[in-house]
Structure formats: structure tokens, C-alpha cells
Amino acid sequence: MGLFITFEGIDGSGKSTQARLLADALRVVGHNVVLTREPGGSAGADEIRRLVLEGDPNRWSAETELLLFNAARRDHLERLIEPALAAGQTVVCDRFADSTRMYQGLSRGNLRARADALHDLMIGRDPDLTLLIDMDPETGLARARGRGGHEERFEDFGPDLQAQMRAGFLALAQEFPERFRVVDGNRLVAEVAADVLALALAALADD
Ligand code: ADP
Ligand code: TYD
């Protein structure tokens, strides 16, 4: 089985940048890497991505949204992640179930218990290593907004949600200390990338 590595953190923390750099660096040292992201990562999940990320912030109830993210994840897991891991590839994924625990679990009422129950029932797979890119919420929001685009349902919630999410992710890292590693994202891209690579190589060596 290959190693399953995920990146988590608030919007604009640098996850996509770091996931790409890690995939490149691991390939250079000979690992066979699949780089993917959520929501999305398979054709069906990419269709669901459009449903959940575009349009009015109140388009879906919190419960419906929880089901949509899990439906997308199930498709991604079945069609991309599990086959790759079974073939011995390293999977690097930008966001996974911890994002659902945070965003759907905490942002609109407390749905964390239902998010966990649904995950256990329908997904049942956690990463081997989760790299939390920790970031000041104001900086993250400014970076995410600077990127532009039309996927703004969550970014529209603003700085309070970002701050709540940051604290929530740090708490989650304490809840699952065996697989979480926290990386300070308030540094140069190359400095963050060096820490990320060292943590991933250590996990691969342990495997
Ligand atoms: P995320 O995937 O967490 O939303 P991105 O990797 O897309 O974050 O980064 C958001 C923006 O910030 C991008 O424009 C990216 O180039 C920039 N960025 C990423 N990491 C850093 C960093 N360490 N310092 C400054 N800018 C960064
Ligand atoms: P993403 O494309 O990773 O955005 P960013 O690069 O700005 O971090 O994710 C889009 C949004 O989807 C992001 O605001 C977080 C949200 N999201 C959830 O609410 N639940 C989830 O399970 C996932 C995977 C993402």
C-alpha cells in the first residue's frame, strides 16, 4: 500500500502550492506520486464541486452540503485514491475529510458528530499523514481573495469564519496527534516546503 498524505488549513494558507511542490520533490527522489484535491479529483466529484462551490452562500442547508461533500469524496476514493494506494503510489491530496469536519462540522451549527458518523459509515479511510499549514486568518483571506475566480461560497463567509476555522484545525491536530503535523505557513514558500518535504520523507521512511 502507498502512503496517503493530505494537506489541510484555511483558505489561502498555501495548501495547493505546497501540495504541488511536495509532489514534484517526491517524484525527483523516485516516488510514484498522484496529486489530487477535494472537492473533486474524479469526474463525478468535479461535477459535485461546481454544485458546492458556486452560487449563493445559502444555496444548500448545512446537512445537504455535508452529504454532497461525502458523495464527492466517496467517488474520489473509489475511483482514484484507493486504486492508487493499492498500486503502491503515494497520494498527495489537497484537503480531505478534516475539511468536512471543520467547514460542515463547525461553520453553521454543530454538525461535527454527524460529520464523523457519516465519515465512518461511508468513507472509513483516514490519511497516514496530514500536514496542517497554519496561517494567520487575515493573511490567508487576503491571499485567497487575491486569487480571484468564481468559487467563493465559503470565502464569502469572511474573516470570523477563517479565524474559527484556524482554531478548529489546530484543535483537530491535537485530537489526532498520530497523523497530524503542524507547519508554520507564515514564511517563504521554500521554507515551508523544506519542512513539508522533511515530514513526508520521515513518514515514507517509517512506512
Ligand atoms: P490554498 O490552497 O491554501 O488556498 P494557495 O497555495 O492557493 O493556498 O495560495 C494562495 C495564494 O498565496 C497564491 O496566490 C499563492 O501563490 C500565495 N502563496 C502561497 N504560499 C505563500 C507563501 N508562503 N508566501 C506568500 N504567498 C504565498
Ligand atoms: P479549495 O479549493 O481547497 O479552496 P482554497 O484553495 O481556497 O482553500 O476548497 C474550496 C472550499 O471548499 C474551501 O473554502 C473549503 C471548502 N470545503 C468544505 O467546506 N468542505 C470540504 O469537505 C472540502 C474538501 C472543502
Side-chain angles (χ1 to χ4, degrees):
M1 280 293 265
L3 203 75
F4 183 24
I5 304 175
T6 60
F7 281 85
E8 295 285 357
I10 61 175
D11 289 333
S13 56
K15 297 178 301 300
S16 317
T17 304
Q18 294 299 330
R20 189 169 31 79
L21 291 173
L22 176 63
D24 290 346
L26 291 178
R27 283 175 186 139
V28 167
V29 295
H31 291 278
N32 193 339
V33 182
V34 172
L35 175 62
T36 185
R37 63 141 186 210
E38 290 207 348
S42 62
D46 278 327
E47 287 196 43
I48 299 173
R49 179 183 177 97
R50 286 191 283 280
L51 295 176
V52 288
L53 295 190
E54 296 176 20
D56 193 296
N58 298 314
R59 184 175 184 182
W60 308 110
S61 74
E63 289 80 2
T64 308
E65 197 174 277
L66 179 60
L67 291 165
L68 287 168
F69 276 106
N70 274 279
R73 178 159 308 125
R74 176 76 203 195
D75 192 62
H76 186 205
L77 195 69
E78 283 176 8
R79 289 168 198 258
L80 186 80
I81 298 174
E82 279 179 339
L85 293 173
Q89 294 177 303
T90 303
V91 174
V92 174
C93 187
D94 183 356
R95 293 195 184 280
F96 192 66
D98 296 311
S99 283
T100 309
R101 291 188 174 100
M102 286 299 103
Y103 288 84
Q104 283 63 52
L106 294 184
S107 64
R108 289 190 285 167
N110 189 351
L111 288 187
R112 173 68 198 279
R114 287 204 223 178
D116 283 341
L118 201 53
H119 177 77
D120 291 347
L121 190 65
M122 296 311 299
I123 307 297
R125 178 71 166 89
D126 279 307
D128 301 302
L129 173 67
T130 299
L131 296 161
L132 171 57
I133 310 293
D134 182 47
M135 166 64 56
D136 160 61
E138 297 288 341
T139 312
L141 200 63
R143 283 187 191 169
R145 286 192 171 138
R147 226 171 17 199
H150 52 278
E151 291 181 340
E152 291 178 337
R153 277 193 64 232
F154 296 94
E155 284 150 25
D156 280 351
F157 288 148
D160 289 352
L161 178 67
Q162 287 271 91
Q164 194 191 341
M165 288 300 121
R166 182 208 195 169
F169 274 121
L170 288 169
L172 208 56
Q174 294 200 316
E175 194 179 327
F176 302 108
E178 68 293 343
R179 69 176 166 89
F180 262 93
R181 298 291 176 269
V182 181
V183 177
D184 177 9
N186 291 288
R187 294 175 294 158
L188 295 175
V189 170
E191 291 175 325
V192 181
D195 282 4
V196 161
L197 180 60
L199 289 165
L201 288 174
L204 282 158
D206 280 352
D207 193 40

